[in-house]
Amino acid sequence: LAALNTVKWQPTLQTINTDGLGAITALEEVTRIDHQSILILGAGGTAYGITAALSQYKSQVTIYNRTPSHAQALAERYHAQVITQLTPDHSYDILISTLPPAAYSNNKLCKAIAMIINKDTVVMDVNYQPPLSKLLKYATANNAAIVHGGRMFYHQACLQQQFWLQPEKNTI
């Protein structure tokens, strides 16, 4: 895995990434994951964790990032697709943003994202602050179901506790 976020010494160094399973568990509170068209915005560590977890499902994952080479590296690693532009002719069942909140100060990006969200899209923003991000406001305005980053954060905390408190053998 390209990104790790949880470490323990018991009896040797062990690491995991809870981003993917935390995000999937949060999404499954609202929708199913299998056989879905999923767009991930961003190609950083959180996107890697989520894409890795999604690779275990029968879903079509597409990556968009402002730096296409970063999206391509992530897509190649997990057999996903890449798009270099967000256009209204793209339709997705699930949209997951791993972008920082500051990314939404780019009006061009915001307009492009808003064009692909509709009432059938489930929108997740992994950020938990602000409580209702600009992305989730767009989604709500388009009658889309939303998944708040706080849900992912909660499930990550549960996974981390399980990892830290379990005996030597890891099963996460």
Side-chain angles (χ1 to χ4, degrees):
L1 194 57
L4 304 168
N5 64 8
T6 308
V7 177
K8 77 174 178 179
W9 290 92
Q10 189 180 14
T12 60
L13 178 67
Q14 297 176 37
T15 60
I16 61 169
N17 182 308
T18 59
D19 291 333
L21 194 51
I24 286 172
T25 306
L27 282 164
E28 286 178 329
E29 293 175 346
V30 176
T31 190
R32 64 185 169 84
I33 304 298
D34 256 345
H35 306 289
Q36 299 291 314
S37 173
I38 302 171
L39 174 64
I40 298 178
L41 303 176
T46 302
Y48 265 84
I50 293 171
T51 305
L54 288 172
S55 70
Q56 305 302 307
Y57 290 81
K58 295 175 183 166
S59 293
Q60 179 58 56
V61 177
T62 302
I63 311 295
Y64 171 81
N65 193 62
R66 68 180 173 193
T67 308
S69 61
H70 294 175
Q72 191 63 43
L74 174 56
E76 286 176 5
R77 186 171 185 144
Y78 296 108
H79 309 291
Q81 294 183 351
V82 172
I83 57 171
T84 56
Q85 288 192 94
L86 298 171
T87 60
D89 60 317
H90 292 118
S91 176
Y92 301 95
D93 301 309
I94 301 171
L95 184 153
I96 303 169
S97 175
T98 67
L99 301 175
Y104 294 99
S105 62
N106 178 331
N107 288 331
K108 184 179 176 185
L109 175 65
C110 290
K111 287 178 184 177
I113 292 170
M115 288 189 308
I116 61 173
I117 297 172
N118 62 58
K119 67 177 180 56
D120 298 319
T121 311
V122 174
V123 178
M124 175 181 207
D125 188 342
V126 302
N127 295 293
Y128 51 90
Q129 290 294 335
L132 192 59
S133 68
K134 200 168 185 180
L135 174 64
L136 296 183
K137 288 178 184 176
Y138 287 133
T140 302
N142 286 304
N143 298 311
I146 63 171
V147 178
H148 188 272
R151 296 304 303 156
M152 175 180 150
F153 197 59
Y154 167 80
H155 290 294
Q156 285 183 278
C158 293
L159 290 164
Q160 290 165 340
Q161 289 297 312
Q162 179 184 347
F163 177 73
W164 288 324
L165 299 175
Q166 68 184 328
E168 273 184 48
K169 187 177 178 187
N170 265 319
T171 56
I172 295 180

